[in-house]
Amino acid sequence: MDIMSADQIGFALLYLGLFLLLGKWIRMHSTLMQNLFLPASVIGGFLALIVGPEILGRIMRNFTGEDSFWATGLVTPEIMEVWSALPGLMINIVFATLFIGTVLPNLQRVWDVGGPQLAFGWTLGWGQYVVGILLAMLVLVPFYDMPPFIGALIEIGFEGGHGTAAGLQDTFADLGFPEAYDIAVGLATVGILTGVVVGIALVNWGVRRGKTKIITDVKGLSPTQKAGIVEPEDRGKGAQKTVRPESIDTFTFHFAIVGLAILVGYIILQGITWLEVTLFGSDFMTYVPLFPLAMVGGFVVQLFVSKFDTSKLVNRETITSIQGFSLDILITSAIATVSIAVIGDYLMPFLLLAAVGIAWNVFGFFVFGPRMMPDYWLERAIGDFGQSTGVTATGLMLIRVADPEIKSPATEGFGYKQLVFEPFLGGGLVTALSAPLIFMWGPWPFLLLSVVMTAIGLVVGLFYFGKRKLN
């Protein structure tokens, strides 16, 4: 691999920004994109994929030959090389920012309000491993010669999303099946689309059948909101300036805090890896990516911030902006570099994984949702359905559609649920470790673990929260 110059890397980043701008412009002017609530990063990523070597390049090679300028479309191999590396880098920033600047609320309220949604989301998440591993062992492994850990891709793609799938790219390669990366990113894309389309349909169904308590008709959000624009009267002042710019810019200061969290996570990972090799002579931790440990690093940093930051220098809104920037870059670059050929080679397994994952989530919504939620069942369950099929933002968007004025406990409970849920599922430690664990243990022990965890979610949801009313 040739060493690229700083100019080539810089241009690749600028070029990616162009596709993000085009994605935002399309979102603002396309009714279809607005009704699908697709982020600009997803739209821009698809644009880059279409004009890149996988689609436009393949078409043009038939007319211009392999050596033509057009053989790679409008995206050069050097740009693709930079873009391919971005998801694995950006996911560390996204996870390092999860805890920095947050304050844990009263634990009793977290349990009372967020518990039902945690039990429901826990059931859906672990259940995806159950149905995925069963599908793998009964169909994909014997008939398509795929590795057993392919069953974990439903949870990785749906719950984890593009970020987690991209962050596991090197892990999939180390496990001997790099094609899992493209399949996982493809599943993440299907998940977002399904989460929005099916989620909106479920809200409409709930309104027509009288299952919703907040709204009596679905008129959707305002045109400005659908375009992804904050109403002028709702625009705040943004992130607070907590340090004076002549010493260090506020954004730079917070970026350094995030960098420290990633460094702490890296040191933890290296230390655990060294201990494992020294004490046990095994190499399991070499398959573990950095990003879940970056999340641990962020938690450690936040402990120190909570204790010693008496001047309140760390501002959560600024941290969230850094997280959002990184996630936009991550999603756009991940979609832009998907291998269409790989998905084509494994089209039937890909479709089976997507269909089984979607079917499980829809089943869970109708069967478990109304029986686990003590009140406002549809407003609560629709958020967890959105996250379990798409990503966290999809879940929040669907809650906003079902409860636009936040009159139900759905939004609050969804936020509380994340404090316990995210460190494990939805891109947390379990999501990151599932493929390596299946590779090391074999599929059956992990399937047993998944069945037990799903059963715990069912029992707590059905027989504890489902049997009582919140005050």
Side-chain angles (χ1 to χ4, degrees):
M1 180 179 67
D2 295 333
I3 298 177
M4 288 176 291
S5 68
D7 288 343
Q8 290 174 315
I9 296 173
F11 181 76
L13 295 173
L14 294 175
Y15 201 38
L16 191 71
L18 174 62
F19 286 103
L20 277 165
L21 285 175
L22 288 172
K24 179 58 181 175
W25 185 87
I26 292 173
R27 169 66 185 266
M28 291 176 63
H29 295 88
S30 169
T31 302
L32 175 62
M33 296 297 104
Q34 292 175 14
N35 290 334
L36 290 177
F37 291 91
L38 284 184
S41 55
V42 173
I43 301 171
F46 273 113
L47 280 178
L49 178 64
I50 291 170
V51 302
E54 286 294 315
I55 297 181
L56 180 61
R58 288 179 181 272
I59 295 173
M60 295 303 295
R61 283 198 293 272
N62 295 324
F63 302 99
T64 62
E66 294 286 341
D67 298 326
S68 166
F69 169 81
W70 297 103
T72 59
L74 299 179
V75 184
T76 66
E78 291 79 13
I79 291 176
M80 289 293 290
E81 189 174 347
V82 175
W83 287 1
S84 297
L86 287 176
L89 296 173
M90 293 295 150
I91 188 63
N92 298 314
I93 300 176
V94 172
F95 275 77
T97 56
L98 288 177
F99 290 110
I100 300 175
T102 61
V103 178
L104 188 66
N106 179 275
L107 292 180
Q108 186 61 49
R109 182 159 184 82
V110 171
W111 177 248
D112 289 340
V113 180
Q117 284 154 271
L118 173 61
F120 181 56
W122 191 264
T123 302
L124 291 183
W126 280 104
Q128 288 177 2
Y129 283 120
V130 174
V131 298
I133 295 174
L134 287 175
L135 174 65
M137 299 313 296
L138 296 177
V139 180
L140 302 183
V141 173
F143 294 103
Y144 293 94
D145 194 29
M146 304 185 82
F149 74 78
I150 200 73
L153 294 193
I154 295 178
E155 202 275 340
I156 290 172
F158 280 13
E159 293 269 9
H162 292 93
T164 304
L168 290 169
Q169 183 175 10
D170 292 339
T171 299
F172 293 141
D174 292 339
L175 299 179
F177 193 65
E179 295 87 349
Y181 162 74
D182 297 290
I183 296 173
V185 172
L187 286 172
T189 303
V190 170
I192 287 181
L193 292 172
T194 303
V196 172
V197 174
V198 176
I200 294 294
L202 291 175
V203 174
N204 278 275
W205 168 85
V207 171
R208 291 195 303 270
R209 295 297 182 91
K211 305 295 184 181
T212 55
K213 291 187 177 181
I214 304 299
I215 56 175
T216 57
D217 58 74
V218 180
K219 297 180 180 179
L221 305 177
S222 70
T224 304
Q225 290 171 321
K226 283 188 174 183
I229 300 172
V230 178
E231 303 281 4
E233 63 272 16
D234 294 331
R235 295 175 187 176
K237 296 180 180 179
Q240 299 176 358
K241 290 187 176 296
T242 59
V243 293
R244 298 190 64 83
E246 62 266 24
S247 62
I248 187 173
D249 185 79
T250 297
F251 191 89
T252 308
F253 171 75
H254 285 78
F255 189 80
I257 294 291
V258 175
L260 176 62
I262 297 173
L263 179 61
V264 171
Y266 177 79
I267 293 172
I268 294 172
L269 178 59
Q270 295 303 310
I272 295 175
T273 302
W274 179 81
L275 283 175
E276 181 193 22
V277 172
T278 303
L279 298 179
F280 305 105
S282 58
D283 60 350
F284 169 74
M285 291 303 297
T286 60
Y287 298 110
V288 177
L290 173 59
F291 68 84
L293 278 303
M295 178 178 66
V296 176
F299 181 79
V300 172
V301 168
Q302 179 57 30
L303 289 177
F304 281 88
V305 168
S306 300
K307 186 174 181 63
F308 299 109
D309 184 20
T310 56
S311 299
K312 306 297 181 184
L313 300 182
V314 177
N315 173 250
R316 179 60 191 172
E317 285 72 25
T318 306
I319 294 293
T320 302
S321 295
I322 294 173
Q323 182 187 64
F325 166 78
S326 303
L327 192 57
D328 284 336
I329 297 295
L330 185 158
I331 293 174
T332 307
S333 57
I335 295 176
T337 54
V338 164
S339 173
I340 300 296
V342 168
I343 294 181
D345 292 340
Y346 296 97
L347 181 60
M348 186 53 65
F350 173 79
L351 293 177
L352 286 172
L353 287 165
V356 168
I358 293 168
W360 166 253
N361 288 344
V362 172
F363 172 82
F365 176 83
F366 283 111
V367 176
F368 304 139
R371 293 170 174 83
M372 286 187 175
M373 305 301 170
D375 56 2
Y376 297 95
W377 83 261
L378 190 140
E379 288 85 355
R380 287 172 172 265
I382 197 65
D384 295 293
F385 170 83
Q387 181 182 19
S388 297
T389 309
V391 290
T392 302
T394 306
L396 287 170
M397 182 274 295
L398 290 174
I399 291 176
R400 179 68 183 272
V401 173
D403 182 16
E405 297 182 13
I406 315 181
K407 293 182 178 179
S408 78
T411 300
E412 184 182 10
F414 187 83
Y416 291 162
K417 163 213 164 187
Q418 302 305 98
L419 295 173
V420 180
F421 186 84
E422 287 288 352
F424 299 98
L425 297 172
L429 289 171
V430 174
T431 306
L433 296 177
S434 57
L437 284 174
I438 294 172
F439 179 81
M440 298 287 287
W441 291 355
W444 301 117
F446 196 85
L447 175 61
L448 178 61
L449 172 65
S450 301
V451 170
V452 171
M453 289 298 174
T454 304
I456 291 174
L458 284 172
V459 170
V460 173
L462 294 174
F463 299 106
Y464 180 75
F465 290 111
K467 300 297 183 182
R468 69 187 183 93
K469 296 290 183 181
L470 293 178
N471 294 324

